[in-house]
C-alpha cells in the first residue's frame, strides 16, 4: 500500500508491504472446521489499512508497534502476533536543482524491514535492511602467489567482489529513535565495506558488526549476511589479448553466502 | 559482463549485457543442415569479449558501433547486424562524504540502452532508457466534480500517478556526443514529468518530446511510453475513517499504457 | 482474469490476460491536452470483462475476434485495434484415477497466445505458443573429432540441448477450427524436436516449419524461435573422475537464439 | 546442475540445485581475518560435483545423505552441516504415443526438496514439496446467507480458491524408501484437496496431515502451508450483466497464508 503524507505542498510517500503472523487458540478451526474466532482476512485487512492511515506516516517501527497493539486488542483469541513491514524508498525529483514537493523516482531494490513481535506483555523489535548490492574492485585480500593460483575463481575474488548485503539488528528497547539509528547502521555498513582493508568477507562482516555495536548501545545483537555473486575474468587468450582483471563474466555458481551474528 | 575501467586508483565499472542479431545467407544451414559459414556461438562470444575489453570503456553507443564493425568484418556471410547493449548503472560509494575510487552500490532498475544496426554501408543508432519508475502525488489534471466521480479510479489518477517510463530516440548521425545528449534527454523527461501542469499522461508525453526535439538537433525522432500502475484509494468507511487521498492500494489491473512517437 | 465455465458439475477454468493496443485520431489529446474521445481505461476494462463473460468460454482466438469487434463498435475514434490474449493452461486433478470436475493444478510455464488485429474491414489472426522448455540428451549432430574439440561448449551442445521454444503462426482466414490446429502445431513441434536426427538447431526448426505447413493449409506463415540455455560438462579432473557427459553445469552466457520464418 | 543418468538408450535427467550451510570453529576467520581452516568455495564446489556424479542419480534424499558424509569427512573443522537440495522435475516426451528415451519437457514450477542435517553422530532428513499451485472452483464451505455477504471477498472464497501449497515432513529414520513415500504424500495432498468437502482451508490442511500420518509410519511430523491468491468476482453491473461466479479478477492483496504442523 502507498501512504501519502501531505504537509502543505510537501508530500512524502511511504510504500509499505505488511505481513502479520498469528498464534492463538485456533485448534477447533483445524480439527473440526469451526470458524468461530478465526480472524477473517477482510476484517484484518481493514484494520491494517486503518492503522496505516493513522500510524503509518513515520518510521516503520512505530507503525509496527501500533499495529501489533491494535491486532492484540481487536482479536482476543490471538495470543501472539508478529508484524513484518517492508518499505521501498522513493527519492524526491528535482527541477533545476530544486527539490519538488510532489514528484518522486523509485529507488534501488534496497528495502527497509522491521519485525515487531508481541504477546501483549513483551514486545521485541528487529529492524533490518535487505538487498543492498555493492561492488569492490580492489583491496579484498592480498594477491596470492602464482602457484596457488590455479582455480581462477579464488584469485578473482580478490580483485572483484559483487555482493548483496542483508542485516538484521535487535533492539533492547522499543522506545528508541529508530530513524537515526537505522541511518547510522546503514552508513556503518557502507563505509566499512568501502574502506576496510579486508583479508576476507568474514573479516569485513565482523568489522561492520563491531562498528555498529560500538555506535548504538540499544542494539543488543546484529546479524549480517552476504550473498556473493560469482564472476571470473574473461579468457581473452584466443583473441590474442591479455586480460589484467579488466573484463569479468558472471557465473551461475557457486553462489557464496556468509553469515555472522555478533551479540553484545 | 562487467568491464572495470582502471585509471590509477579511480575505477569505473561498466555492467553490460550485449545481444547481437544477424541476417545473412544462411539458408543451407536451415534447409540442408550444413553448418559451413554459420557463426559459431563460441567464436562470436570471444569477439564480443575482445571488443568489450578494447572498446567498452566509455559510452555504450561507441561500443555498439565498434562491435558492429568487428562482426561485419569478421563474418563475411553476415549482411546485416544489430547490436543491442543494455547498461546497468552503478553509483560510487562515499566514506565520510568523500567518493571512494573502488567501491560502488547498485543503482535503480533504470537501464541505459542502445541498438546499433549496420549493413556495412549505412548505420543507425537508436538510444534509450528503460524502467524509469516515477510518482506524482498531485497536479495531474483538474479535480473532477463530485457527480462525475463514480469510478474511483479515474478520479484517483489525478491525485496519484505511479508509472514506468521508457524512451527511445533515433540519432540522425552516428558521430555525436552520446553521453551529454543522453543526460539531456533524461533530465528533460524527469523535469517535465515533475513540473508539467498536466491534463493527462498523453499531454505530458507530448510536452517531453517537444522539449527533447528542441534541445538536441541530432535527434530525428523520439518515442516515449508510459506503463501506468493502477492504484485506488483504500475504502476506510468500515473503519469509521475518511480517506482524503492518503492511502492507496495497488491493483493488478487495468495496467494502462500510452505511447507517443514524435518526429522532427 | 479467470473465467470459470460451468457445465453442470464439470467446470473449466480459462486463465486469461488481455492487452489491447489502439490507433486512432487522438492528436488533440497529446498536443492540446483535450480528453474528449479518449478511451477511458475504466470503460475499456468493463468492456473487456463483459466480453470475457460473453465470449471467453472457448478458444482464445474467437474471444479475440469478438473483443476486436466490440472495441471498434464501441469507440468510433479507434481506427485500428490489436487484441493480444495470453492463456495459462490448468490441468484437471484426479482422485483415485478419476478426473475431478472442480479441482485443478497449474500447468507448466507454457502459454497459449493470440494477437487479433482489425481495422473493421480486414482482420488478421496470429496464434502462438510461448515458453515451451525442452531438453535433448543426445542425437544433436555427429560427434566432432577430438582435435576440433577444444572449446568444450560447442562439443557439449551435441550431447545436451536445453532450449525454450516459441512459435507464431499466421492464419490466412479467421474462420478456421483454431483449437485442433493449435494442437496439431504443438504436436508437430514436440515430435519433431524429440525424434529429428538433427545436425543443428537451425535444421530442426526448418523441419518443424515444414511439417506444420504441410499439415495445416490455412497457416500462411510460421516463425519458430529457440532460446538455448548454455551448459558445459563439469570438470571433475581435480576430483579424480572422468565425466563422460554425465554432469552439466548451467552457464550465464552465451545465450544462443535462433529464429526462422517460413512462408508457404 | 544437470545430472544425466544414462542406462542404454534410456536417459533420465536430474535437475538439481544444492545449497550447503556449515557451523564450525571459524571464529579466527571473522575476528582476525585468518583464512586457515575456512572451506574454500572452489574446493567445496568440486566436492559437490563429484558427489553429484557419484551419488546423484537417484532420489535427492540419499544424495543429501551422501553429500553430508563427504563434507564432514573432508573438512574436519565443520562440526555441523545442512545440505539442501531442490529438484526440478522434467517429463518425458512422446512421439506417436511412445515415450522417447532422450527427449524431455520442463514440468510445472513444482519442486521436490530435501534438507539433510548432520553432526556426524545424528542425522535428520526433512523432505518437502514446494510451489504446487491448485484451484478449486466449488465446494469450499457452505454458502453464506445473503445478509452476511457484504464483503464479496469472503463469499468469493467459497466459490473459487487458488492457492500454492508447500509441505515439509520429517522422517524418524534416514533409512526408508524415500521415493514411494514422497509419491504417497503428494497424492494424499492432491486427492484430499480435490475431494475434501471442506469448511475452510484450515480444515483441509488438517485433513491432509491426518491422511499422511496415517499412511507413512516413518513420518514423525508434517507441516503444510497454503498461500492463497485473492480473486474477486468482476462487477459487470455497468455492462448490464449479472456475474454468477463466472468471471474473477486477481487482486494484489490481501494474500492469505495458513500453516499447520501436526506431530504424530
Amino acid at each position: 500500500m502507498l501512504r501519502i503524507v501531505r504537509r502543505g505542498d510537501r508530500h512524502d510517500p511511504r510504500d509499505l508491504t505488511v505481513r502479520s503472523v498469528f498464534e492463538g487458540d485456533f485448534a477447533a478451526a483445524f480439527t473440526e472446521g469451526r470458524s468461530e474466532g478465526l480472524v477473517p482476512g477482510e476484517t484484518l485487512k481493514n484494520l491494517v489499512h486503518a492503522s496505516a492511515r493513522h500510524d503509518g506516516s513515520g518510521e516503520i517501527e512505530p507503525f509496527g508497534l501500533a499495529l501489533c497493539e491494535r491486532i492484540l486488542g481487536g482479536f482476543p483469541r490471538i495470543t501472539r502476533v508478529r508484524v513484518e513491514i517492508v518499505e521501498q524508498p522513493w527519492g524526491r525529483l528535482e527541477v533545476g536543482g530544486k527539490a519538488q514537493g510532489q514528484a518522486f523516482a523509485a529507488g534501488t531494490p534496497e528495502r527497509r524491514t522491521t519485525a515487531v513481535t508481541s504477546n501483549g506483555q513483551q514486545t521485541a523489535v528487529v529492524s533490518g535492511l535487505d538487498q543492498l548490492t555493492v561492488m569492490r574492485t580492489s583491496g579484498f585480500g592480498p594477491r596470492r602467489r602464482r602457484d596457488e593460483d590455479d582455480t581462477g575463481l579464488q584469485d578473482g575474488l580478490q580483485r572483484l567482489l559483487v555482493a548483496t548485503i542483508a542485516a538484521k539488528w535487535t533492539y533492547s528497547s522499543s522506545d528508541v529513535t529508530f530513524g537515526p539509528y537505522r541511518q547510522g547502521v546503514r552508513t556503518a555498513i557502507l563505509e566499512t565495506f568501502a574502506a576496510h582493508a579486508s583479508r576476507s568477507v568474514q573479516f569485513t562482516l565482523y568489522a561492520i558488526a563491531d562498528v555498529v555495536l560500538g555506535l548504538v548501545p540499544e542494539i543488543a545483537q546484529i546479524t549480517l549476511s552476504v550473498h556473493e555473486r560469482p564472476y571470473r575474468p574473461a579468457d581473452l587468450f584466443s583473441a590474442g589479448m591479455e586480460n589484467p582483471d579488466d573484463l569479468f563474466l558472471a557465473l551461475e555458481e557457486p553462489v557464496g553466502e556468509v553469515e555472522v551474528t555478533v551479540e553484545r
Side-chain angles (χ1 to χ4, degrees), chain A:
Chain A
M1 73 190 82
L2 199 46
R3 171 82 168 83
I4 310 295
V5 186
R6 300 175 198 258
R7 297 188 185 87
D9 275 356
R10 185 188 158 95
H11 299 176
D12 277 292
R14 300 255 158 224
D15 195 342
L16 306 170
T17 305
V18 176
R19 183 169 183 262
S20 49
V21 184
F22 313 122
E23 284 174 20
D25 177 16
F26 304 121
F30 286 90
T31 55
E32 298 167 38
R34 298 223 310 267
S35 63
E36 302 92 52
L38 270 187
V39 181
E42 196 66 10
T43 310
L44 178 64
K45 189 184 77 169
N46 288 336
L47 188 148
V48 171
H49 290 164
S51 183
R53 170 86 173 80
H54 198 264
D55 316 308
S57 62
E59 301 294 329
I60 52 178
E61 288 88 355
F63 175 30
L65 287 162
L67 184 51
C68 267
E69 209 168 298
R70 279 172 185 260
I71 289 173
L72 288 172
F75 302 101
R77 208 172 282 239
I78 295 179
T79 55
R80 194 157 162 275
V81 60
R82 186 170 75 241
V83 167
E84 300 170 2
I85 306 176
V86 178
E87 179 174 12
Q88 170 183 353
W90 287 76
R92 201 173 286 282
L93 285 179
E94 299 190 345
V95 177
K98 194 160 147 284
Q100 287 299 95
Q102 299 152 22
F104 308 87
T108 72
E110 186 184 342
R111 296 289 179 267
R112 300 174 192 139
T113 67
T114 196
V116 181
T117 311
S118 179
N119 62 3
Q121 267 77 50
Q122 287 176 304
T123 299
V125 180
V126 178
S127 290
L129 59 82
D130 218 349
Q131 296 181 51
L132 172 57
T133 300
V134 292
M135 183 197 301
R136 272 278 290 267
T137 53
S138 77
F140 251 78
R143 214 171 251 271
R144 290 176 194 219
R145 292 195 313 276
R146 250 306 144 206
D147 56 341
E148 295 179 51
D149 193 0
D150 58 322
T151 63
L153 197 73
Q154 286 178 294
D155 187 50
L157 267 181
Q158 304 158 23
R159 293 166 275 167
L160 177 69
L161 176 73
V162 179
T164 300
I165 300 178
K168 283 192 182 183
W169 53 95
T170 307
Y171 287 106
S172 53
S173 158
S174 59
D175 184 23
V176 301
T177 55
F178 294 105
Y181 283 176
R182 170 182 294 282
Q183 198 52 47
V185 173
R186 188 177 183 278
T187 302
I189 291 172
L190 286 177
E191 298 206 340
T192 310
F193 174 82
H196 191 61
S198 181
R199 300 192 198 112
S200 67
V201 172
Q202 285 84 354
F203 195 32
T204 304
L205 290 188
Y206 188 79
I208 292 173
D210 208 45
V211 171
V212 169
L213 292 179
L215 193 75
V216 185
E218 287 94 342
I219 292 182
Q221 173 184 314
I222 183 164
T223 296
L224 292 151
S225 66
V226 153
H227 190 97
E228 189 181 330
R229 187 168 182 199
Y231 278 86
R232 67 174 166 82
D235 180 3
L236 301 180
F237 180 81
S238 67
M241 281 182 185
E242 283 197 64
N243 180 17
D245 308 342
D246 271 8
L247 185 66
F248 294 87
L249 307 179
L251 301 178
E252 283 235 331
E253 60 151 24
V255 174
E257 289 183 50
V258 176
E259 186 173 300
V260 60
T261 298
V262 183
E263 292 181 51
R264 184 168 298 279

